Amino acid sequence: MEHTRLFSDGEPIRSEIKISERSTTSFVVLLLIFWIFIFLIGYLVGSRTEEPLNDVTVVQYDPYINYDNVSSVPICRVESWNNKTTKSFPFYDLYRYFADKKVTGSEGLSDGQLRLLTAFLYDEYIVITHTAQNPKGVGKGVYCFYYDCNRNELPGTRFLSFVFPMTAVHCPRREGAQYVSLGFEKEFPPKEEPIPFLNRMFEYPPHEIGVCVGQIYGDEKKWLEIIEYVEHHKLMGATMFYFTILEMDGYTKRTIEDYQRLGQIEATFVNIEYEKINWLFHMIQVHECFFRSKFHSKWVIGIDIDERLVMTKVPLLSFLNQQDPNTCEVNFGIRRIQKNYNDPEKYTSTNETRSSLSFYRNNLTTTHRWGAFKSLFQPAKTHAIHFHWTIRQHEGCRVKTAKRQEGYIRHYRTTASSSLAGSWISIFKPYNITQMDPEFSKKLEERVIRKVEYLYKLHPVFCESIDEKIRIHFPKDLHCVNSTVIL
C-alpha cells in the first residue's frame, strides 16, 4: 500500500517536469528566431550597398570655394582704437637718413631668413620685428601688408617702407587692420603669415622701470640665475622684465612661465633656422626689447643675465626722480666679479641653493671701469640703440654718466676658457673683495629661496591622498608612493 501511495504522489511531479522542458524549448526556439531575424536584416542592409568602399577615404569639398577666404566668416567690426589711418610714420626722413648711413647693423649674419617676431601697435605707427639680421640689408625696401580680423588683406593698403634698424621695419597705421606681414615684392603676397598686433598704446607707461634682459641661449641651465636676477631688480624697483629667448631647457622654462603668470615677464621666443646660437644674435634681442618696452616702461635697464645694477647712495627710483626732466639716459660703469662655480643643474636642497647664490659665493672684484658700460634709458625718447646703450636720441635729450659713488653694475663673469673672452681675469688687475649691503642681501636671499622652493621643491603623490575607490580601480597606473616610505 505504501508503494502504491508513493507512485500516486509522484505523478504530479512528472507533469511539472514535462511543462518545464516545453517552456525551455520554446525559449530557445524564440531566441534562435530573434538572432536569425537580426542577421537577415544586417545582411539585407549590407547587400543594398551600391558602391564598394575604397581603400582610401575621400573627403568631399567644394573646389570653387577659397577656404582661405570664406565669405561666410564673421564681419570684422572696426573698434575705436583701430579707426585710424596714417600716411607715413614719424621721423620717416630721419630714419631713411640713418638707414642710408648704416647707423645700426655693424654685427650680424648675411644669410638670415626674414621670420616675423612681433608687431607692435603704437598710436601713430607700427613696428614689425624680425630675425633677418643682415647688416647689408639695412635700408632695403620692404612692403607692409595689412589684414582684417579674418586675415583677409585690406585692398589698397600696401606701403613701401625700409629696414631700419637691422631687425625691424616701421609701417603706418591702417584702419581696420589687425594683422600685418612683410614682403619684398608688391605684386605677390608675402611668404610670412600675418601676425597679430601687440597693443602698445597707453596714456601713461604702465611701468616706471623695466629691464631689458640680454639674450638667453646655450645649454647651461639658468633657472637659479634668472630668479636671482629678477628678484634683485624687483628690490631695486623694476616691475617688468623683457626676455628674448633663443634657447632654453624645460627646467629653466618653468621659471619664465611662472613670472609670466604673475605678469612680471614678457618673453619673446625666437625661432631661427641656425643649428648653433652665439653672441652675434644679440641685436635681435636688443631691438625686440627696445620696441617692446617703448611706451610700456618709462625707464629701461639694459643688462645681461649675469649682471646686477647696484645703487649705493639712494634708491633707484629716487635717483631717477632727482634727474633733470630732459635726461633720457644714465650710464653706469661696471665692476667684474670672478665667477668660479657653475650654478646647480637642478634643485636638490634649500641649503645648496643658498650656498650657490652669486652675491654670497662670488666677491673677487675689479676696480670701477667704463669699458662696456651699461645704460638706463627712456625708450620713448630714443631713435636707435646698439647693444646696451643708445646711439641716437630725440632732440633735447641729455645723456648723463652716473658717478661711481652713486651706483655701478656688478658683472658676475666666468673665466672658463670656453666663454667669450674668458681670459679677462689675467688683465683686469688689481682685485679686492666687495659685498652688497647685508640687509639688501638678506632680503634678496629670502625672496630667492621662497621662489625656488615654490617652483622646484616637489614631493611625490602620496597614495593615502587618493580616493580609495580610485586606488583599487587603478592599482598600477597611479605612480604614487606611501608616505611611510618617504619617512
Side-chain angles (χ1 to χ4, degrees), residues 215-472:
Q215 63 176 348
I216 303 294
Y217 69 96
D219 299 328
E220 182 183 358
K221 289 182 170 59
K222 297 180 173 65
W223 59 277
L224 181 57
E225 193 170 29
I226 290 174
I227 293 175
E228 182 185 324
Y229 179 98
V230 171
E231 296 303 327
H232 175 105
H233 292 102
K234 282 169 61 178
L235 283 172
M236 299 291 293
T239 55
M240 176 53 64
F241 297 81
Y242 307 97
F243 277 76
T244 303
I245 300 167
L246 287 90
E247 291 178 320
M248 176 171 285
D249 64 280
Y251 195 78
T252 300
K253 191 168 179 283
R254 185 184 302 176
T255 295
I256 297 293
E257 290 172 337
D258 193 68
Y259 280 120
Q260 281 182 309
R261 175 183 66 87
L262 298 174
Q264 297 171 348
I265 276 181
E266 286 191 2
T268 303
F269 288 86
V270 182
N271 180 16
I272 58 178
E273 71 270 27
Y274 299 103
E275 294 180 359
K276 189 66 177 175
I277 310 298
N278 56 43
W279 65 271
L280 283 174
F281 295 86
H282 205 349
M283 295 306 294
I284 295 177
Q285 176 269 321
V286 168
H287 293 137
E288 172 68 17
C289 185
F290 170 53
F291 291 111
R292 183 173 282 271
S293 61
K294 183 174 285 191
F295 308 117
H296 195 240
S297 291
K298 181 179 179 181
W299 291 92
V300 166
I301 313 168
I303 50 178
D304 290 332
I305 194 66
D306 57 358
E307 297 172 328
R308 313 285 185 269
L309 174 61
V310 174
M311 301 302 293
T312 53
K313 280 194 171 182
V314 298
L316 179 57
L317 192 55
S318 299
F319 173 80
L320 294 175
N321 290 334
Q322 294 171 5
Q323 304 308 309
D324 185 283
N326 292 326
T327 300
C328 61
E329 179 178 355
V330 181
N331 296 319
F332 290 88
I334 65 166
R335 295 184 182 183
R336 288 190 178 182
I337 301 172
Q338 184 181 12
K339 185 178 180 181
N340 291 321
Y341 310 95
N342 291 328
D343 291 331
E345 291 280 309
K346 291 190 175 183
Y347 171 85
T348 57
S349 69
T350 296
N351 287 335
E352 184 195 37
T353 301
R354 184 178 288 108
S355 63
S356 299
L357 296 175
S358 296
F359 55 93
Y360 283 151
R361 178 184 277 189
N362 307 300
N363 293 296
L364 185 62
T365 311
T366 68
T367 56
H368 196 93
R369 295 175 178 269
W370 288 104
F373 63 87
K374 300 300 167 67
S375 296
L376 177 67
F377 66 97
Q378 294 192 44
K381 297 182 179 181
T382 302
H383 289 306
I385 184 171
H386 188 69
F387 283 158
H388 299 289
W389 53 89
T390 69
I391 53 177
R392 294 292 186 276
Q393 306 85 24
H394 286 206
E395 185 176 356
C397 276
R398 295 182 56 188
V399 178
K400 177 182 178 177
T401 298
K403 298 177 182 179
R404 65 184 64 195
Q405 296 83 5
E406 293 176 318
Y408 68 97
I409 304 294
R410 290 177 69 88
H411 187 177
Y412 297 101
R413 184 155 187 173
T414 180
T415 56
S417 58
S418 58
S419 67
L420 180 66
S423 59
W424 65 270
I425 190 68
S426 61
I427 59 176
F428 274 65
K429 299 177 181 179
Y431 301 98
N432 60 352
I433 301 298
T434 66
Q435 292 180 328
M436 292 194 303
D437 174 70
E439 183 179 351
F440 180 91
S441 297
K442 186 62 178 177
K443 290 181 180 179
L444 179 56
E445 175 196 329
E446 293 172 354
R447 294 172 74 117
V448 171
I449 294 300
R450 183 165 62 247
K451 191 70 174 181
V452 167
E453 290 185 344
Y454 179 83
L455 290 174
Y456 294 104
K457 189 176 183 180
L458 309 177
H459 67 76
V461 175
F462 294 120
C463 298
E464 295 88 338
S465 67
I466 302 174
D467 185 89
E468 184 178 4
K469 295 179 181 178
I470 301 296
R471 296 203 307 268
I472 295 174

Side-chain angles (χ1 to χ4, degrees), residues 1 55 91 97 162 188 265 316 391 415 451 468 476:
M1 293 295 294
D55 292 337
F91 306 107
Y97 172 80
F162 51 91
F188 301 98
I265 276 181
L316 179 57
I391 53 177
T415 56
K451 191 70 174 181
E468 184 178 4
K476 298 181 179 180

Side-chain angles (χ1 to χ4, degrees), residues 25 66 139 201 242 278 384:
T25 303
N66 181 359
M201 295 187 295
Y242 307 97
N278 56 43

Side-chain angles (χ1 to χ4, degrees), residues 24 40 50 110 140 187 218 286 396 449 453 470 473:
T24 302
L40 287 174
E50 298 177 358
S110 61
K140 182 178 180 180
E187 293 77 16
V286 168
I449 294 300
E453 290 185 344
I470 301 296
H473 194 69

Side-chain angles (χ1 to χ4, degrees), residues 118-122 125-129 164-165 168-171 291:
T118 313
F120 300 102
L121 178 66
Y122 306 123
Y125 62 106
I126 300 161
V127 172
I128 306 172
T129 55
F164 178 81
V169 175
H170 290 67
C171 302
F291 291 111

Side-chain angles (χ1 to χ4, degrees), residues 80-143:
S80 57
W81 64 267
N82 204 11
N83 187 17
K84 191 167 191 176
T85 295
T86 56
K87 294 181 179 180
S88 185
F89 51 83
F91 306 107
Y92 177 95
D93 293 335
L94 181 62
Y95 292 173
R96 180 75 261 181
Y97 172 80
F98 288 160
D100 292 340
K101 295 297 182 180
K102 308 297 182 186
V103 168
T104 64
S106 60
E107 290 84 15
L109 303 173
S110 61
D111 64 343
Q113 295 182 35
L114 186 144
R115 297 187 177 188
L116 307 186
L117 288 178
T118 313
F120 300 102
L121 178 66
Y122 306 123
D123 186 49
E124 297 292 327
Y125 62 106
I126 300 161
V127 172
I128 306 172
T129 55
H130 58 82
T131 64
Q133 52 169 7
N134 181 357
K136 297 179 181 179
V138 176
K140 182 178 180 180
V142 60
Y143 286 92

